[in-house]
Amino acid sequence: MASDKQVTFVIVGGGIAGVTCAEQIASQFASDEVCLLTASPLVKTVTNFKQVSKTLEEFDIEEQPSSVLEEKYPNLKVIQSAVNLLRAEEHLLQAENGQTFHYKKLCICSGARPKLLYQDNPHVLGIRDTDSAQEFQKRLSKAKRIVVIGNGGIALELVYEVEGCEVIWAIKDKAIGNTFFDAGAAQFLIPSLEAEKKERSLPCKRARYTTDKTGAGQSGATGELGSALGPDWHQGIELKGTEQNSSGVHIEYECEVSQIYTQQEFLRSQLDTEKSELGLWPAYVQLTNGTIYGCDFVVSATGVVPNTDPFLSGNHFELAGDHGLRVDDHMRTSEQDVYAAGDVCTAGWEPSALWQQMRLWTQARQMGWYAARCMAADVLEEPIELDFCFELFSHITKFFNYKVVLLGKFNAQGLGQDHELLVRCTKGQEYVKVVLTGGRMVGAVLIGETDLEETFENLILNQMDLSRYGEELLNPNIDIEDYFD
Ligand code: FAD
């Protein structure tokens, strides 16, 4: 039966942003009821949180049943039902199960979904949550060749992890991993793609994502609303095609998909190509450079779109260019008492010169935590300043089995010509790049076990003039830590 509930704090979304926000607010307001509404049956919790340096953090993620959260915070109630209506002016939210909630403060953390190149095409798959990763695995186990489109983190991990299946990787840039790397770093990583799997085991520390066996893989009632996967999403999922040997990755640079054909469409088409030479495949992909590949299916890893749909109708949210809910430096949307955090939102404040938003795990946690503190400060009528974590962009991850640390304007984002790069590279071991502007360090890419992250983070944060050190800065024979201590 439908019911109506008055709650001080309502949070929507059981991903890392929503859960972090709910935990923080529930512990700070122990005598107020907090409701977490989520479409997915499991919630994501952060464990083993470790502050590696001033801004770098590492943690594990666990998918857990909501009862674990409720036991930990007696005032926190988790309701598994997707929100389908918001009337912001009335401070009213309605869930699919018929329940309505009158809130004082609401935080929307509904994440994002894959931006699919072709909607509703059975030959095109996006990877976002446990469900879609398992669907991918199932289809891959019967595949000989797949086409991967996109050049971000997901595509990078995917092409590296797939075994026993030929991968055609179409990217629109001149180098792989354009979101994270420059051409030099890409060049450093390419040999890893060609190496056999057994040679690919360098020791590496990184955030680990674990999946609870009991209920993983079920998505919410609406089918598409599971939480986003995160680091190591492929751990425990065998990504293997039908071929015995690793069939390699072929990269098609600077091109996009112009058309995807089903087998029938392809055979009937007037395309000027020797059809029989391409063999018989379930689908055919035509690239903008004219090449056509037959394949079993296509993986579209071309970014995400914020999940804002259920919240927009009848309200006046200001949306950013990427369709995220625009938030100010207190994580407030343009609707009164509605906050947003994680992948669903877009930072609308004037960012620090060394920070940029990227829809990443770490930022989802930081935003969820900071949004809770902002809601609390608002209720208590206390002032609050933008958190220090938004001062410097920092991210630890792993690509192709190498530890990767990204700091500040690691790709000289927004610097135009006004910068200088210093690079040190030892094939198969490490790639170090620093970005300098006016003699000061503003960004760095560290691949491998460089042990430089803390020193470089300090140099970026203190903006020391490094002009007189020149290239010595990356001299491997100098212990740079001693240098600046
Ligand atoms: P989500 O985790 O997407 O959670 C959204 C939640 O909202 C879900 O619980 C969902 O069920 C719920 N929801 C949605 N709509 C509704 C509704 N209407 N009503 C109620 N609930 C709703 N980041 C990294 O930092 N490193 C990586 O290596 C990395 N790898 C990735 C690999 C993959 C394959 C993917 C897909 C993402 C990866 N990311 C990675 C990105 C990272 O996972 C996301 O940035 C992060 O999970 C976002 O967290 P969130 O809480 O904002 O959203």
Side-chain angles (χ1 to χ4, degrees):
M1 214 183 80
S3 68
D4 204 0
K5 217 167 152 58
Q6 306 275 345
V7 201
T8 316
F9 299 102
V10 175
I11 290 111
V12 178
I16 223 56
V19 172
T20 309
C21 180
E23 285 189 289
Q24 172 67 22
I25 209 88
S27 66
Q28 197 171 342
F29 292 85
S31 50
D32 284 284
E33 190 177 6
V34 178
C35 282
L36 175 67
L37 276 143
T38 178
S40 48
L42 297 172
V43 293
K44 293 244 166 86
T45 54
V46 169
T47 56
N48 303 327
F49 178 81
K50 194 168 119 214
Q51 193 75 45
V52 180
S53 64
K54 288 194 186 83
T55 61
L56 282 163
E57 50 188 55
E58 272 187 318
F59 49 84
D60 296 337
I61 300 293
E62 277 174 40
E63 264 192 326
Q64 293 180 326
S66 51
S67 54
V68 175
L69 270 187
E70 292 182 332
E71 278 157 27
K72 203 163 155 198
Y73 304 96
N75 59 329
L76 175 60
K77 180 114 193 63
V78 184
I79 297 126
Q80 195 214 313
S81 184
V83 170
N84 57 7
L85 181 82
L86 167 66
R87 282 201 234 127
E89 221 163 89
E90 293 165 54
H91 287 50
L92 182 136
L93 198 67
Q94 186 182 299
E96 270 181 353
N97 67 3
Q99 261 187 300
T100 49
F101 299 83
H102 289 271
Y103 59 83
K104 280 204 183 116
K105 302 278 174 203
L106 166 69
C107 189
I108 302 176
C109 307
S110 50
R113 61 180 186 279
K115 197 194 291 168
L116 275 192
L117 200 63
Y118 291 88
Q119 291 292 339
D120 303 324
N121 183 326
H123 296 295
V124 181
L125 212 75
I127 299 179
R128 183 70 195 158
D129 49 20
T130 325
D131 245 11
S132 52
Q134 284 177 350
E135 172 67 14
F136 170 63
Q137 179 196 27
K138 203 170 99 199
R139 290 175 68 166
L140 184 67
S141 67
K142 297 187 205 119
K144 285 198 178 72
R145 185 195 284 161
I146 60 170
V147 175
V148 177
I149 304 155
N151 200 12
I154 296 172
L156 266 176
E157 296 216 22
L158 195 96
V159 297
Y160 178 74
E161 290 298 329
V162 166
E163 278 182 274
C165 178
E166 190 183 353
V167 177
I168 309 293
W169 187 14
I171 59 177
K172 64 177 184 329
D173 316 292
K174 285 195 179 115
I176 63 163
N178 197 46
T179 329
F180 295 102
F181 304 122
D182 58 1
Q187 217 46 46
F188 171 83
L189 289 171
I190 289 267
S192 308
L193 272 184
E194 288 150 9
E196 282 300 316
K197 261 275 147 69
K198 54 182 176 306
E199 295 169 22
R200 296 174 171 183
S201 50
L202 294 173
C204 191
K205 253 192 358 224
R206 68 169 299 190
R208 170 124 319 151
Y209 162 84
T210 54
T211 309
D212 186 290
K213 288 183 187 65
T214 49
Q218 307 153 21
S219 63
T222 41
E224 286 180 5
L225 296 171
S227 299
L229 296 168
D232 281 351
W233 60 274
H234 41 71
Q235 280 260 330
I237 312 179
E238 194 185 49
L239 296 181
K240 209 160 174 0
T242 57
E243 307 293 280
Q244 278 307 309
N245 303 318
S246 188
S247 313
V249 179
H250 171 77
I251 309 172
E252 288 279 349
Y253 292 96
E254 293 184 87
C255 65
E256 292 178 58
V257 170
S258 63
Q259 189 70 261
I260 297 178
Y261 301 93
T262 62
Q263 191 184 79
Q264 271 189 338
E265 284 166 349
F266 179 72
L267 295 176
R268 268 194 261 118
S269 71
Q270 305 292 316
L271 284 164
D272 185 21
T273 180
E274 205 49 69
K275 289 181 181 150
S276 58
E277 273 179 21
L278 294 178
L280 214 52
W281 294 93
Y284 293 83
V285 176
Q286 184 174 31
L287 302 175
T288 43
N289 63 10
T291 318
I292 299 176
Y293 286 101
C295 63
D296 289 283
F297 64 94
V298 179
V299 182
S300 172
T302 45
V304 295
V305 195
N307 276 326
T308 54
D309 288 355
F311 310 101
L312 300 184
S313 171
N315 301 311
H316 303 98
F317 283 106
E318 197 185 320
L319 295 184
D322 59 8
H323 303 290
L325 298 174
R326 202 182 180 86
V327 289
D328 67 7
D329 58 356
H330 285 81
M331 306 307 288
R332 288 179 295 224
T333 67
S334 52
E335 284 287 3
Q336 202 173 359
D337 297 320
V338 183
Y339 298 70
D343 280 8
V344 74
C345 80
T346 304
W349 64 85
E350 188 56 49
S352 127
L354 301 167
W355 185 85
Q356 61 273 337
Q357 182 179 7
M358 285 182 85
R359 289 191 163 84
L360 293 167
W361 204 255
T362 23
Q363 292 196 355
R365 195 202 68 78
Q366 292 166 341
M367 286 179 167
W369 181 79
Y370 177 60
R373 290 188 47 233
C374 289
M375 291 200 286
D378 217 354
V379 168
L380 301 170
E381 295 179 22
E382 286 171 359
I384 182 163
E385 275 186 30
L386 189 64
D387 194 81
F388 182 71
C389 66
F390 301 108
E391 211 35 57
L392 172 67
F393 174 87
S394 60
H395 186 54
I396 305 187
T397 186
K398 189 177 78 167
F399 286 120
F400 299 5
N401 239 341
Y402 287 101
K403 174 176 173 180
V404 174
V405 177
L406 304 169
L407 293 169
K409 298 286 168 185
F410 59 89
N411 244 348
Q413 295 94 324
L415 298 178
Q417 297 300 316
D418 180 27
H419 69 274
E420 197 189 338
L421 299 180
L422 292 180
V423 177
R424 172 174 106 198
C425 179
T426 312
K427 207 173 163 213
Q429 208 180 327
E430 60 160 28
Y431 176 90
V432 178
K433 179 184 83 173
V434 299
V435 184
L436 297 155
T437 178
R440 289 159 221 277
M441 196 183 291
V442 291
V445 175
L446 309 172
I447 307 179
E449 295 296 328
T450 65
D451 215 16
L452 289 170
E453 52 267 33
E454 226 176 319
T455 311
F456 282 9
E457 180 192 51
N458 281 330
L459 291 178
I460 296 176
L461 282 171
N462 68 25
Q463 286 294 287
M464 181 174 159
D465 187 351
L466 301 166
S467 320
R468 65 196 163 108
Y469 299 101
E471 288 181 12
E472 283 294 284
L473 208 55
L474 293 190
N475 184 340
N477 301 318
I478 291 177
D479 191 342
I480 193 157
E481 255 178 274
D482 294 345
Y483 222 57
F484 292 106
D485 269 351

